[in-house]
Amino acid sequence: MNEKEVNVILYCRVSSDEQKDNNSLDVQEESLRNYCKYHGYNVIGDAYREDYSAKHYDMKRPKLKEIYEYCKKHKGEVDKVF
């Protein structure tokens, strides 16, 4: 039986300026990549990274919007967003 490859997009973000200063994005991305490798998920492209606290930008998350647009444009090609 052939199992369908599960395609995923990685999304990393900080919730505070302190997280940004503590390399939280690098740790998140490494953890997500390790998780995907362990579970056999196919990571599509580079991780999307929001490197600022959204509270300073009224919860606007441009990279998250890019993910939505990518998924709409590539309908059926993305199975999960982590």
Side-chain angles (χ1 to χ4, degrees), residues 4-9 42 44 70-71 73-80:
K4 178 189 178 290
E5 187 172 59
V6 177
N7 294 321
V8 302
I9 289 177
N42 178 48
I44 299 172
Y70 181 92
C71 290
K73 186 176 179 181
H74 297 92
K75 192 170 183 162
E77 296 177 23
V78 179
D79 301 299
K80 298 176 185 268

Side-chain angles (χ1 to χ4, degrees), residues 27-69:
V27 172
Q28 286 178 51
E29 184 173 348
E30 181 180 4
S31 295
L32 287 169
R33 289 192 181 281
N34 287 337
Y35 179 86
C36 290
K37 183 177 179 179
Y38 179 79
H39 290 283
Y41 294 126
N42 178 48
V43 177
I44 299 172
D46 295 329
Y48 290 79
R49 296 167 62 121
E50 300 280 9
D51 64 350
Y52 59 85
S53 173
K55 64 185 174 187
H56 299 294
Y57 295 92
D58 300 324
M59 295 303 290
K60 293 179 183 172
R61 299 262 185 207
K63 294 295 180 181
L64 189 56
K65 290 178 184 178
E66 285 181 33
I67 292 171
Y68 289 141
E69 292 302 316

